Structure formats: C-alpha cells, structure tokens
Amino acid sequence: MSTAATKEGQPPVALQHLRNFGICAHIDAGKTTVTERVLYYTGKTYKMGEVHDGTATMDFLKEEQERGITIQSAATTCPWTHDGIEYTLNLIDTPGHVDFTIEVERSLRVLDGAIAVFDGKEGVEAQSETVWRQADRYGVPRICFINKMDKLGADFRFSFNSIRERLGANAVAVQIPIGHGNDFDGIIDLIGMKAYYFSAEELGAKVEQRDIPDNLKEETEAWRHDLIEKAAELDDALTEKFLNDEPLTPEEIKAALRKGTIAKDIYPVFCGSALKYIGVQRLIDAVIDYLPNPTEVPDVQGTDLRDKEKKISRPNDPNAPFSALVFKVVSDSHGDLTYTRVYSGTLAKGTRVLNATNGKREIISRIYEMHAKDRIPRESISAGSIVALVGLKNSVTGDTLCDPDDSIILERMDFPDPVISMSIEPATSADKDKLSNALVVIRREDPSFQSHYDEETGQTIIAGMGELHLEIIKNKLTRDMKVGVNVGKPRVAYKEAIVGKAEARGLHKKQTGGRGQFGDAVITVEPYTKEQAKEDEIKFKDGMAFENKIFGGTIPKEYIPSVEAGCRQTAKSGVLAGYPMIGVKVTLIDGSYHDVDSSQVAFEQAGVLAFKEATRRAKIQLLEPVMKVSVTTPDEYLGSITGDLNRRRGMIVGTEERGNTRIVVAEAPLSEMFGYSTTLRGMSQGRATYVMEPLDYRPVPDNIAKTILEGTKA
C-alpha cells in the first residue's frame, strides 16, 4: 500500500487518504479564522483561537498577534473522518498581505489543492486576483469558500458572480446560504437538497439537517439546475442523461465535479461564516470530495543533474527514488527547521541525501510533523508528505533534496526583486557581528529579502517587498534577535536599463616589466527580456543573459567565463548611478589573448571595461518600480482620492461601483506612495482602504531622473 508518513506504533497513511492543501485569499477575508475552525473540528485544538483576540494558533508570531494579520505561512497536519474513512490533512495557512506574497507563492508551489476564501460582502478583491493568478501559474486546483455571510451587506449572488466575472473562473455553486447578514443561520446543500443549521452554543459542532424552507425552494431549484448543467458538461455519459431528462444521482454529480475540479475546468463554490461556526465542517468534507490526493496530480518534473537539457519526472510513489523540495527554512534555537514537500520515494531518520542544487550531502537527523509551532517526531516519511526536517546545514528555499544515487533537480521557484530598501546600522560595536549573523539568518528564511554592504557609504542596505515588510524585519532584529539597530528612511530600489544596441571593446593591458596582464574582449549589448531568453533557450539570470559567439579560438575557452563574470559583476553594481542593470543581453563576439600575459583576472577586467563602454554607448536609462494600487472608498471621497493619485504621478486605469462604494485601480510609482496610508486616512476620515502590489519597472521621466542622479552624486 502507498504510504505517506509513519510514527512508531501507527500504520502508514494511504496516499488516497491524504490531502495537501492551503487556504489563501485577500487580507481580512478570514483565512486564519477558517483555519482555526478546521483545527478545532478536526480535534487538533481543544480551544477555539481568535485572530481579533491575538489567540489564533497559526498566528503564533508576536507581530501577527499584535497586527491581526498572518505574516508567515504555518503548516499543520490533522485527521478528518469522512464517510467512515480517516483522512490525513496537511494544511498551510498563508498570508493575505501583498508584502508577503512570497509566502503564498512558495506554499502554492508544494500544494496539491487550495481553498480560495472570499469576503461575502466584498467578493473578489485586489489581492484575491493576485492569489488566483499565482495558483493558476502553479496549476493548483481550487474550491471557493464565500465567508462572512453573517456580515452586514453580505451578498452571495454578488460574490459568486464576481468570481466568474473578475477571475474568469468557471464557478459552480454547490451550496447557497439561508439568509444573510444577521439573519444568516445555515446553508442549503444543492447536491443532497437538504438544509443544514449550525448551533452556535456548541461552537458549530452540532449540525442539524432539515428540509429546505418553503420560501427558498424556487431559488434553490434555479441554483441546482445550473449545478446539474455544469456537472453534465464534464462527463459525456451525464450529458446524455441530462439531455434525456434523466435524473443525476448525488454520486454522479460529485464524481463529475471532482473530475472537473482536478482538471481545473470548474471551481465548486461553498459558503458560510467561520466566525459564527457555520459551514466549516462541510468545507472540510469538500476538501476530501473535490481536491486531489497526491496520486491525482501530475508527476513532478525536473532535470537531470548531469545533463541540464534532459527532462525527467518522478511518480508520486513511495517506492520510486527519493525527491523532495525545500519550500521554507525557519531558524530555531534547536537547529533550522527545513520545511519540505516529499514528491517521491521514502526517507528515514538518519539518512544521507544529496542537495542536487548545490551538490552538497546532507544528513536528516530528525523528521517532524508540524502543528503550527508544535512538532511530532516521525521515524520515516514518504511520497505526499509535508514535514519539517532538522540537520540540514546548506539547504535553502527552492533547493532539491534527492537520492544520491538517482539525482534530479526540481524546478526552482522564481522570487520577485525587492522594490524598497533602507540603510541599517548596528547601534553599538557589540551589535556589529550580531547584525551580520542575524541578516544571514533572515536571508535564509525569506528569499524576498536582500541585504548588502555598501563600501562607499559604509552602510548595510536591506531591501524588501514593501514598507510593512521592512518594518517587520526591523522589529524581528530588535525584538526577537535582540540586535540594536538604527535605520534610515525607506528608499526606492531603482534599476538601470539600456535603450539601444551597441558594441565595444574592453582591453585590459599592463605589460611593463615581468609578467604582465592582457585581456581583450569585444561584446555587443542589447535590451532583452526573460521571455526572449526562454524562446532562445539562453540562461537569463539576475536580469542578464550572456551568449558566447567566439569561433576559432580568438579567446581560449577557459577565459570566456571570466568575461561573463566581469560583465555580470558590473551589471550588478550598475554603470550610471550604482543601481543594478536589468534586461540586457551580452554577446561575446571577438577578442584576442597573449600566450604568457593572459589570465582569468585580466579577462574579467576586460569584461568590466567592455560592459561599461558598450552600455554607455547603448544609452542607459533609470527605471523605477510602479505599483498597482487599489483603493476602496465611499463615493463622497472619490474626487479627493483620484486627485491625490494624479498628483502622485498615478494613472487611473479603472473604477468600479459597488453600491455606494467605489474601487479605484491606479498604477503609481512607488517613490510617490510613501506614507500613503496616513494621507488616505486623513482624506476619508479613516473610511477608505487600499492595497498595493509591485506591477513592473518603467522608465523614470527625464526631469525626475536628473534629480535622482544628482542626489546619488551629491
């Protein structure tokens, strides 16, 4: 039998009875509250935690409890009995705030399915779209949960339609609510055609089944007709039955919906109120009924360690060679916890594995099944498991662990570039070493965070995805790691790019007495995108592609990597104003060498000189991060808000009306958006809200670029 994890004295879990899923949504849609209810009903916790009280099990960081938001994804494993069979659920609760998008990204990469949670009043919101796109990118099947049906103004039909219209998703309702707002007290199951009421006195644990209320029968029939029609489209045999007016059994409907959900052709929609304990147990049943088990997702793809062009795959099978992906590293006083998804094979405690990404061997000293911050030891694990490993010294997010005798490199995750930076200095000389060690730890934990030492200013620069991201890192340093620091003002992470194509020679020549230095390289530079690199099958790393077109040995093979290294090093530190250069392709076309005086160092310098000269000839421009800003405001403040966005060089790309509320979508430069939350509160008497996420990099207007460049030279 297929197995997933074993603990001493426990039988293995069949892969068919395992579900790896996450809960993701817009900030404040109620993800963590849904998770708390799942943990309570599955018997993982005996006390219901609340986000607003700061007692949520999964929000165990102090920052999370104080702010009432999820910052890092938390993993837990819990049991659930459905139709007399015990299932094992591996659940990851992810953040909704855009500054922590990376946490959602790396969770979706390793999950087999997801629950997308929506606010019953707001429907699809700005961040909902971002999360949905991320799930599309990783091919994750989803079910939808319209939460907060008890909220004043909640509207199931509006929220349901927003999933269809704004996400373009083929949504189908499997449940509808009984009432809404203060009158919401149950749900109707459109497959079984029964009404379910949940007792708040017993925290929703007691569920009462009744007949559908008379006043809802007509509406229920209309929703059910839509469900039957959608289910019939998914299966040829059911289409025939439907066209011949033959009834479809509940089992046939469920089987069709499961098939359609796993194929991502359809997205079943459920409803409830996690806060009022309504509908969560039925949602857990839906995870079992519609989301895939590890054997129903495509085999994981990778490349051969010895031949990067050769594609290989691993089946979801405990008897196949071992392969796993590291998706998160958390520093711990007892040793780093390396969160890992096992895709194939079996891993026992004490085993030596290969990190195929960096070629280093690692020993797995301990294996833990995680429940938020608590851990349960495991003797061994196999395909389908999501666990934390202890003992790994050289493995970071995105690395592949595999059998040393049968290696594979799984596809890495892409992490976005930081858009904001600030200087940070140790408060005392005693804090100096502590700070550098602490930054190494944070970089291991958080791939979207970067830091480097600026030799010109003598400052350490930290960079992240937004103001909140950097603020939380600062608090982590001072509060959790006890490092005294002084921080500067946040600054925009500008980039450099070239406008045209140019050619230049880099000649590094020092030949006076003794052994000299001689390196000579001719390169061309041109604007280039990641998409072009993919089409041309050229490696595109850190915003730059390098192609060697040297024929006939005008430069010996061993010096070509040195030319590339010189170009990359210069691109990283920038040519115009010290900002990294992106979107450039370097082609090495010619050069010469000296039998005695040529060396790797000389050719690296030739690369530096050629790159600087070629990019200057190609004309360099400054790029700035542009953000997508979505503001939700009452009607009366619309004029002030759009006027303010225009003053910030914002471009309004759309407005949407929802009752007496307007949603304004704009694209604005990050440099103009510092302190926006305070301004927005003042303009709207605290009634407007906004979310902001990185969109892309665009050229800075000439007059502003001039000011920025003068500032860097000052």
Side-chain angles (χ1 to χ4, degrees), residues 89-105:
L89 310 178
N90 286 324
L91 162 63
I92 294 182
D93 173 34
T94 63
H97 198 286
V98 286
D99 282 15
F100 310 105
T101 297
I102 192 69
E103 287 286 345
V104 185
E105 188 97 5

Side-chain angles (χ1 to χ4, degrees), residues 450-509:
Q450 291 178 10
S451 69
H452 70 273
Y453 183 71
D454 187 330
E455 289 188 1
E456 281 183 27
T457 61
Q459 292 176 317
T460 297
I461 307 297
I462 62 172
M465 300 310 297
E467 287 182 272
L468 178 63
H469 190 195
L470 290 187
E471 190 186 330
I472 280 163
I473 281 166
K474 187 197 89 174
N475 290 348
K476 187 169 188 171
L477 285 167
T478 52
R479 180 192 285 175
D480 301 343
M481 298 178 159
K482 306 287 187 284
V483 182
V485 292
N486 299 319
V487 297
K489 282 190 173 155
R491 297 182 303 194
V492 173
Y494 292 102
K495 304 272 190 205
E496 295 177 13
I498 53 172
V499 178
K501 186 173 180 176
E503 181 183 309
R505 165 172 254 121
L507 178 63
H508 179 68
K509 185 177 177 183

Side-chain angles (χ1 to χ4, degrees), residues 246-257:
E246 292 178 42
L248 272 59
T249 67
E251 289 71 31
E252 286 174 328
I253 298 169
K254 276 187 179 178
L257 289 180

Side-chain angles (χ1 to χ4, degrees), residues 77-95:
T77 301
C78 41
W80 184 250
T81 302
H82 180 49
D83 291 341
I85 298 168
E86 183 159 314
Y87 291 83
T88 296
L89 310 178
N90 286 324
L91 162 63
I92 294 182
D93 173 34
T94 63

Side-chain angles (χ1 to χ4, degrees), residues 78-278:
C78 41
W80 184 250
T81 302
H82 180 49
D83 291 341
I85 298 168
E86 183 159 314
Y87 291 83
T88 296
L89 310 178
N90 286 324
L91 162 63
I92 294 182
D93 173 34
T94 63
H97 198 286
V98 286
D99 282 15
F100 310 105
T101 297
I102 192 69
E103 287 286 345
V104 185
E105 188 97 5
R106 57 182 173 187
S107 301
L108 287 170
R109 170 69 174 80
V110 298
L111 294 172
D112 300 331
I115 300 173
V117 180
F118 301 93
D119 184 307
K121 181 180 178 220
E122 310 298 340
V124 172
E125 298 173 86
Q127 183 68 1
S128 318
E129 294 183 49
T130 306
V131 171
W132 196 266
R133 284 197 306 272
Q134 287 172 314
D136 279 342
R137 188 158 63 245
Y138 290 114
V140 178
R142 276 143 281 169
I143 58 176
C144 305
F145 182 61
I146 297 177
N147 190 27
K148 301 193 175 186
M149 285 307 303
D150 60 311
K151 192 176 176 180
L152 200 63
D155 183 334
F156 178 79
R157 190 177 289 276
F158 162 77
S159 297
F160 177 81
N161 287 338
S162 75
I163 295 171
R164 280 189 173 176
E165 289 157 16
R166 291 189 64 174
L167 300 177
N170 186 15
V172 58
V174 179
Q175 297 172 348
I176 59 169
I178 300 170
H180 50 78
N182 293 333
D183 301 328
F184 175 61
D185 60 357
I187 52 177
I188 293 171
D189 173 19
L190 298 174
I191 297 177
M193 291 299 277
K194 288 289 177 190
Y196 293 89
Y197 295 83
F198 298 76
S199 166
E201 287 76 42
E202 297 187 36
L203 302 180
K206 186 181 171 193
V207 184
E208 193 183 332
Q209 181 184 305
R210 297 186 210 160
D211 289 334
I212 295 164
D214 290 342
N215 63 329
L216 291 175
K217 278 183 177 167
E218 194 177 322
E219 187 186 351
T220 303
E221 284 299 339
W223 281 101
R224 180 175 165 86
H225 183 268
D226 185 52
L227 168 67
I228 300 293
E229 203 172 342
K230 282 277 196 297
E233 286 170 9
L234 298 164
D235 188 290
D236 292 343
L238 297 191
T239 307
E240 205 170 310
K241 284 185 81 170
F242 179 72
L243 294 173
N244 293 330
D245 281 338
E246 292 178 42
L248 272 59
T249 67
E251 289 71 31
E252 286 174 328
I253 298 169
K254 276 187 179 178
L257 289 180
R258 178 176 183 79
K259 182 180 160 192
T261 305
I262 292 170
K264 298 176 290 297
D265 292 330
I266 203 162
Y267 300 94
V269 179
F270 302 82
C271 62
S273 164
L275 190 66
K276 292 283 191 281
Y277 322 108
I278 296 174

Side-chain angles (χ1 to χ4, degrees), residues 57-58 60 65 74-75 332 337 339 370-375:
T57 308
M58 299 297 261
F60 55 82
Q65 292 167 355
D332 187 85
L337 286 174
Y339 283 81
M370 297 303 293
H371 169 49
K373 61 183 174 181
D374 299 325
R375 54 194 78 172

Side-chain angles (χ1 to χ4, degrees), residues 387-407:
V387 289
L389 307 176
V390 176
L392 289 84
K393 300 277 188 290
N394 302 296
S395 298
V396 295
T397 300
D399 283 0
T400 300
L401 304 176
C402 63
D403 185 331
D405 300 324
D406 203 333
S407 57

